């Protein structure tokens, strides 16, 4: 009963298949396994059917996010069945935000129209870079032309379109980055995410960096480019509402906002994560084990973590700091003892004197200088 969900307002669906494996990727993603797509689809739907809990099904879904992997490779003859299965579990209404991740170069003829008919109303396009040689070096098989063609096609069908870029990719000069961002500002988009490159252990990129066959740009350069990007995007009307996320007013990602506000969400699919307010759990990450677990209705969970009171406070501080709306100080202090409250207030005053945060109307915000040392600020605020 601990894994009970009171309601189902935010759902994540994982589609793990990719046509290639980018060499920086540490997501639950599988390349060259198209022959398992049909079986995966059947298991995914079965997992939803098995998820039979006594929550209030009359409340429509607020957000659905279909991520991957590369969801744009979901076969068009199977996708309607997946949506029908989910709609039987929880209704959608015209306010439900339905995001679908798309990689350029993977969109079949007629796909955009079908996605729209199914209720998808937001696309998140993985651009990452517009420099073809850099993408090829990362084993990402897409080109600038793929991106442009896709955006031309989406224009008349979707009004809410987001694009992702990665800052700090090897081989992208300062001028090239600036030109890419300026170019993106001419696109029909409402949202842009800019992530710093993370070099995850055991990825091919990690070994190349270690062997020095790939040289990353210096951190200082990436940080300067981040500041430049924040300012430039702001001047085009894309305001920063979270560390890596910029939107035109009213086009913020409501699904991600639910994560940052620590709302409960249910994930379906390989390696998908869920949170019910008290426990976080993750589904099995091995494809064969996932199939068996769904079929047997046993052993689906790979990891279960109970969130302690201390973690709740850490999450409130860290997630709040990343957002433009900042940390609700009262909300954090209510979890602390008197001594911890005192510690927090003193540290907040000290960080403000360092120019890293500002405090206003009961909220605490990162300053531009604080944004790039967000982790250190959060660690400082948390009582020992
Ligand atoms: S397309 Fe995305 S999920 Fe797939 S391998 Fe590349 S980075 Fe990973």
């Amino acid at each position: 009963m601990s894994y009970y969900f009171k309601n189902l307002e935010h759902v994540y669906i994982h589609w793990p298949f990719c046509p290639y494996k980018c060499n920086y990727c540490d997501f639950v993603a599988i390349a060259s396994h198209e022959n398992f797509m049909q079986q995966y689809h059947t298991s995914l739907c079965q997992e939803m059917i098995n998820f039979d809990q006594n929550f209030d099904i009359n409340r429509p879904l607020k957000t659905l996010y279909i991520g991957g992997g590369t969801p744009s490779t979901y076969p068009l003859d199977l996708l309607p069945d997946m949506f029908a299965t989910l709609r039987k579990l929880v209704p959608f209404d015209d306010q439900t935000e339905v995001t679908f991740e798309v990689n350029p170069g993977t969109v079949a003829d007629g796909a955009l129209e079908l996605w729209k008919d199914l209720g998808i109303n937001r696309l998140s396009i993985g651009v990452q870079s517009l420099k073809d040689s850099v993408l090829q070096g990362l084993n990402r098989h897409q080109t600038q032309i793929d991106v442009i063609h896709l955006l031309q096609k989406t224009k008349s069908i979707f009004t809410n379109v987001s694009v992702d870029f990665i800052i700090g990719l090897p081989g992208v000069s300062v001028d090239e980055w600036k030109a890419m961002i300026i170019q993106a500002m001419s696109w029909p988009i409402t949202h842009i995410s800019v992530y710093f490159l993370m070099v995850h252990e055991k990825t091919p990129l990690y070994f190349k960096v270690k062997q020095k066959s790939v040289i990353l740009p210096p951190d200082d350069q990436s940080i300067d480019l981040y500041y430049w990007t924040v300012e430039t995007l702001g001047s085009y009307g894309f305001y920063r509402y979270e560390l890596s996320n910029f939107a035109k007013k009213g086009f913020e990602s409501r699904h991600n906002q639910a994560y940052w506000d620590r709302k409960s969400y249910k994930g379906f699919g390989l390696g998908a994560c869920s949170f019910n307010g008290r426990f976080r759990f993750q589904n099995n990450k091995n494809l064969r084990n996932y199939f068996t677990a769904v079929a047997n209705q046993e052993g689906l969970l790979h990891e279960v973590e109970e969130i302690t009171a201390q973690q709740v406070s850490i999450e409130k501080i860290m997630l709040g700091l990343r957002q433009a709306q900042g940390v609700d100080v009262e909300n954090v202090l209510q979890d602390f003892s008197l001594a911890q409250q005192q510690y927090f207030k003193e540290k907040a005053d000290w960080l403000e004197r360092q120019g890293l945060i500002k405090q206003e109307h009961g909220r605490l915000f990162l300053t531009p200088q604080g944004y790039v040392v967000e982790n250190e600020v959060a660690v400082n605020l948390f009582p020992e």
Side-chain angles (χ1 to χ4, degrees), residues 137-190:
L138 297 166
N139 198 39
R140 195 176 169 94
H141 301 192
Q142 77 185 38
T143 63
Q144 177 171 177
I145 297 289
D146 293 331
V147 175
I148 306 302
H149 282 169
L150 176 58
L151 286 161
Q152 274 165 356
K153 285 205 248 166
T154 59
K155 203 169 154 183
S156 57
I157 304 175
F158 289 94
T159 48
N160 196 358
V161 175
S162 176
V163 291
D164 285 3
F165 277 88
I166 300 178
I167 211 164
L169 286 176
V172 178
S173 72
V174 168
D175 288 345
E176 284 167 342
W177 173 264
K178 291 182 177 177
M180 275 188 250
I181 294 297
I182 299 289
Q183 186 176 345
M185 292 298 91
S186 67
W187 295 344
I189 58 172
T190 48

Side-chain angles (χ1 to χ4, degrees), residues 360-375:
E360 259 171 33
H361 313 302
R363 301 192 86 91
L364 192 151
F365 310 86
L366 289 173
T367 60
Q369 293 72 23
Y371 260 104
V372 286
V373 286
E374 173 245 339
N375 265 333

Side-chain angles (χ1 to χ4, degrees), residues 17-22 24-29 68-70 103 140:
F17 301 98
C18 288
Y20 42 75
K21 183 95 185 189
C22 308
Y24 55 87
C25 177
D26 84 328
F27 297 128
V28 180
T70 303
N103 280 339
R140 195 176 169 94

